[in-house]
Amino acid sequence: MEDIVTAAQPEKRKIALSGIQPSGIFTLGNYIGAVRNWNDLQDSCDCLFMIANMHTITVRQDPATLKANTYRAYANLLSAGLDPDRNILFVQSQVPAHAELGWVLDCYTMFGELSRMTQFKDKSAKNADNINAGLFTYPALMAADILLYKADVVPVGLDQKQHVEIARDIAARFNGIYGSVFTVPEPLISKSGAKIMSLAEPQYKMSKSDPNPNACISVSDKPEDIVRKFKRAVTDSEATVKRGEGRYGINNLIEIYSIAAGLTPEQVEQEFEGKGYGEFKVKVAEAVIEMLRPFRERSEDLLKNKDYLDQLQRQGAEKAARVAERTMNKVYKKVGLFR
Ligand code: AMP
Ligand code: TRP
């Protein structure tokens, strides 16, 4: 892993980097759309996975809750099967280079391109009393996260595609001025589960920060809560378990069930032909409970030992910093900044 930045081996493994915000407890959407896929990548790529806590403060956070959620997020990565010896698993704020490169990249990112970011528009509509500069320049910090490690691929859910694209533009712009400093990254979006929708308003994505507790399954929800939430999930009046245009609720439940039960959407439709929503929703809940059970139990165990988590977080940050420092030295030199 150490040599990933300077390596010139003929058959270099690809570098993958992704991040997740500890802005709440991970949702089923995070598990299906992100963390689950990361697990598969560790065999084929050199991977870095980051808890993006600096991104989280673009929206006001309670400090104690933020720390607790950061530990939990880190424990969740481990519980999902990510191996801290084979991957670099770290917390963003423990690697100062992210803030340093974030600032430099702010100066190579255009007001106009940031204004077009849909996440900025959504979040500023939701937090109208706190449209801060960090919320606006967030994609430049995310570009720094990616470019520091010369990531080739960035596995994300569909909602982050636009941010990976702006990272590509920033990298290409910087390289255009200073020569080949950064690797231009590709987004990696899985075909299924790239966008799990809210259970209460299924035309919107399931989100950790949704204030409606019925909208969202969290990975630490108890089985009885999962059953209750799926039973209440908004569907439509058609009462058939079949995908269809504009059938957001049922499409989403079919997608979730097919992933949790390991079936194709067609097989799900066949299984529930002639059956009602009530029966289907209970089956979805049961499959999700089984999918999440080992993950939830491992996380709870790990959270009992904060010293162990602290130690792994520190080791991860040290490994990440060694790679990031080399990129920072190069960037400062190119730009003409003393270090
Ligand atoms: P976030 O919760 O915004 O920090 O997102 C962390 C990762 O989870 C990113 O790769 C997102 O694209 C992915 N993600 C978040 N919400 C969903 C969702 N509802 N469906 C699928 N992927 C998601
Ligand atoms: N912005 C991402 C999200 O909210 C999290 C993130 C931060 C990230 N830095 C990243 C994802 C770098 C991929 C790569 O989901």
Side-chain angles (χ1 to χ4, degrees):
M1 198 76 194
E2 290 266 284
D3 291 319
I4 54 180
V5 167
T6 49
Q9 307 108 326
E11 282 184 48
K12 187 165 101 52
R13 269 155 70 95
K14 282 198 171 165
I15 299 169
L17 176 136
S18 197
I20 187 159
Q21 295 194 51
S23 49
I25 298 179
F26 289 4
T27 68
L28 181 63
N30 293 134
Y31 182 76
I32 291 178
V35 180
R36 181 185 65 119
N37 305 322
W38 299 353
N39 204 358
D40 299 335
L41 269 181
Q42 47 183 353
D43 295 328
S44 52
C45 295
D46 286 335
C47 297
L48 301 105
F49 298 114
M50 177 187 86
I51 307 302
N53 58 346
M54 291 167 73
H55 280 86
T56 302
I57 62 165
T58 54
V59 175
R60 207 64 80 222
Q61 303 291 329
D62 169 65
T65 310
L66 177 57
K67 280 192 179 166
N69 284 339
T70 304
Y71 276 130
R72 183 173 284 277
Y74 198 89
N76 283 164
L77 295 191
L78 298 170
S79 317
L82 299 175
D83 176 348
D85 294 325
R86 288 164 69 208
N87 306 284
I88 300 185
L89 306 181
F90 69 104
V91 177
Q92 185 183 29
S93 64
Q94 292 184 312
V95 182
H98 291 257
E100 289 182 295
L101 186 61
W103 170 250
V104 172
L105 296 185
D106 275 343
C107 305
Y108 296 81
T109 307
M110 298 302 136
F111 185 88
E113 57 190 350
L114 290 173
S115 312
R116 288 193 292 275
M117 295 291 117
T118 44
Q119 182 172 299
F120 172 68
K121 291 186 220 163
D122 289 351
K123 286 204 175 170
S124 37
K126 279 195 200 136
N127 301 285
D129 56 345
N130 184 20
I131 307 178
N132 59 70
L135 192 63
F136 188 63
T137 61
Y138 171 120
L141 179 61
M142 178 159 157
D145 302 336
I146 299 167
L147 302 182
L148 272 175
Y149 303 97
K150 302 205 163 31
D152 300 292
V153 290
V154 183
V156 282
L158 206 49
D159 63 318
Q160 294 299 318
K161 186 165 176 248
Q162 199 182 30
H163 290 158
V164 181
E165 278 161 3
I166 196 176
R168 290 171 59 84
D169 294 341
I170 296 169
R173 181 174 301 134
F174 195 94
N175 288 350
I177 304 170
Y178 301 105
S180 163
V181 177
F182 295 129
T183 300
V184 179
E186 299 275 351
L188 187 67
I189 295 168
S190 110
K191 280 181 223 71
S192 70
K195 197 167 185 187
I196 299 299
M197 311 309 273
S198 154
L199 300 186
E201 293 176 287
Q203 59 280 35
Y204 301 109
K205 79 159 188 171
M206 184 181 283
S207 161
K208 288 186 210 97
S209 47
D210 198 318
N212 178 353
N214 291 321
C216 173
I217 302 286
S218 109
V219 294
S220 44
D221 276 348
K222 296 196 187 66
E224 58 269 29
D225 296 329
I226 297 182
V227 172
R228 180 176 43 82
K229 290 181 187 182
F230 275 113
K231 279 189 176 166
R232 286 196 192 164
V234 169
T235 40
D236 52 33
S237 54
E238 233 179 272
T240 51
V241 181
K242 215 161 179 35
R243 289 163 298 161
E245 182 87 24
R247 302 194 69 195
Y248 301 107
I250 199 70
N251 290 348
N252 190 39
L253 294 182
I254 291 177
E255 171 112 347
I256 293 172
Y257 184 68
S258 73
I259 291 166
L263 300 168
T264 64
E266 291 75 18
Q267 288 170 322
V268 179
E269 289 172 345
Q270 271 164 19
E271 182 181 341
F272 291 94
E273 205 173 337
K275 295 184 182 151
Y277 286 157
E279 190 178 343
F280 178 53
K281 285 176 172 177
V282 171
K283 277 285 178 45
V284 181
E286 284 168 358
V288 167
I289 291 166
E290 285 320 307
M291 177 174 72
L292 294 180
R293 188 190 302 283
F295 178 72
R296 183 168 68 102
E297 288 171 355
R298 253 179 272 150
S299 297
E300 296 311 325
D301 267 358
L302 282 163
L303 281 167
K304 289 183 195 137
N305 192 347
K306 297 276 163 44
D307 288 345
Y308 177 64
L309 291 176
D310 267 329
Q311 188 195 333
L312 286 185
Q313 287 179 189
R314 211 160 288 128
Q315 285 167 358
E318 278 166 18
K319 286 197 242 170
R322 279 201 288 274
V323 183
E325 279 298 296
R326 281 189 249 164
T327 307
M328 274 326 290
N329 284 339
K330 189 160 179 191
V331 167
Y332 270 33
K333 199 160 146 204
K334 291 282 186 185
V335 174
L337 296 173
F338 290 114
R339 192 144 208 266

